[in-house]
Amino acid sequence: MLSLIFGLLLQFYLQNQLTAYKQQILRKDKLTAELMVNLTEKARTEKSGTVRFDKGTVTYQMSDVSSNQIEFEVYLTNGKRIHFISAVRTNPPTSKAAE
């Protein structure tokens, strides 16, 4: 009876550990993709293109529906694919200090 209770507790513990590990991997992949999108968004010069990183590839293009949105498709080297839609950032006018 004691071994049955111990076995159930061990199974419950291992299942929780496995779930936590999978969630950690998902968070890491999403953060990696977000970082790749941020770097791509800052460096892009055209309406569409592809940027390659050591962790994957980002493909981007302006949305056909609205010209104020840009779509990013991130393909990670581990096979995951993550899609982002972002508002197009415009550079705010720089103000010069009065001399």
Side-chain angles (χ1 to χ4, degrees):
M1 183 68 163
L2 188 59
S3 64
L4 179 63
I5 294 172
F6 178 74
L8 288 173
L9 286 174
L10 182 62
Q11 183 179 6
F12 177 74
Y13 173 76
L14 291 176
Q15 187 63 36
N16 282 343
Q17 290 297 312
L18 184 62
T19 301
Y21 177 73
K22 286 180 181 179
Q23 288 175 345
Q24 182 181 9
I25 294 295
L26 288 174
R27 281 193 303 265
K28 179 182 173 253
D29 288 344
K30 188 167 189 282
L31 286 173
T32 301
E34 285 179 7
L35 178 61
M36 291 166 59
V37 165
N38 285 340
L39 291 172
T40 301
E41 192 169 19
K42 289 178 184 176
R44 73 177 179 84
T45 57
E46 301 175 7
K47 290 188 176 189
S48 65
T50 301
V51 179
R52 298 186 195 287
F53 294 91
D54 62 338
K55 297 287 185 183
T57 304
V58 178
T59 303
Y60 64 92
Q61 71 177 26
M62 296 290 284
S63 177
D64 293 335
V65 177
S66 171
S67 62
N68 61 351
Q69 286 186 343
I70 187 164
E71 296 182 26
F72 295 93
E73 197 74 37
V74 180
Y75 299 94
L76 297 175
T77 54
N78 63 7
K80 300 267 172 84
R81 182 178 68 97
I82 302 173
H83 185 80
F84 292 94
I85 297 176
S86 175
V88 175
R89 294 182 185 174
T90 57
N91 293 335
T94 57
S95 60
K96 293 184 179 180
E99 294 179 17

